[in-house]
Amino acid sequence: MFECNKIARGVHALVKSARKHADVPLQKIYAMQEIFLQRNSGLYTKEERNRLRYYLKAVAYKFHLANLSLEQLWALSEDKRQELFFALENSLDRLDVSDDELLAISFAFEGFLFQATSFLDFYMLYICLLLKSGHQGSISKKRFFKALAKVSDPFLAGKAQRVSTYFANHVFAETTGEWLVPHNWGTLLRSLRDKIAHRDRIRPSFESDETLVGEVLLNWPTLQSITYDRFCQYMQNGMFALFTDVAPLLYDLEWRSGPYRRGMWDEEA
């Protein structure tokens, strides 16, 4: 029983910590959507408005889940970094990862890939619904762009074109090979998720060039020579940009930085 309580306290602490980073942008997205719906009340039926709210909550839910996994990765990484003083005192030139540590790291890493991909899928479905594309069923990169091209409402068609351009240039950018660059994170994310879902788990390499104080090598599992925590953080940066960059295109409202507060778009509404 004590062991269960200990695990439960850790999970609750994880959720609390992850929420600190996720709640503010989501509060802003909810508020921006409601302003848009109020300003364009004749564009959607009551049922359509309810569906939009439902899908946006699903987007938020997946964003929270991805952040939980990312928070786990950073916690494991920071915990390993705290062994630095032990390494220095014992003249070690590297901090290696045990089998148990690798299991925990892989658990968080693969969880992030699944939830981040699900977030991206739900966000694209939400966009299709908001822009009244008529898309039904599951989503893919090809189906998403095809749906946006079919938007016929004059007011929404311009939005669809701008959103399509953003995704083509900043999410699914064409690159040579499967290397992480700032604008192809969506393509790489889907590829990695498919590898662990349909083939085998991603096999980590240990080619990190990240050194700590005293040139101690942090020998953490890496992908493309980037430690898992930093690799997923790059992905999450792209996810966050879907709020800061795409929301203004959808809602005709400027993204406001800083903490959320009621009425922060009153002058634009």
Side-chain angles (χ1 to χ4, degrees), residues 2 25 37 93 109 111 129-131 134 148 154 168 206 238:
F2 174 76
L37 293 178
D93 61 359
F109 178 65
L129 184 62
L130 184 73
L131 299 181
L148 293 182
F206 292 87

Side-chain angles (χ1 to χ4, degrees), residues 146-183:
K146 186 177 180 180
L148 293 182
K150 289 183 176 180
V151 175
S152 58
D153 183 280
F155 173 63
L156 299 177
K159 294 179 180 294
Q161 184 177 7
R162 290 189 289 274
V163 169
S164 180
T165 298
Y166 179 89
F167 270 78
N169 293 334
H170 298 283
V171 181
F172 299 120
E174 296 295 332
T175 59
T176 56
E178 293 187 344
W179 289 90
L180 176 63
V181 296
H183 304 315

Side-chain angles (χ1 to χ4, degrees), residues 220-233:
W220 237 54
T222 64
L223 196 62
Q224 300 180 3
S225 299
I226 306 172
T227 54
Y228 277 7
D229 52 338
R230 298 191 185 281
F231 190 92
C232 289
Q233 184 63 63

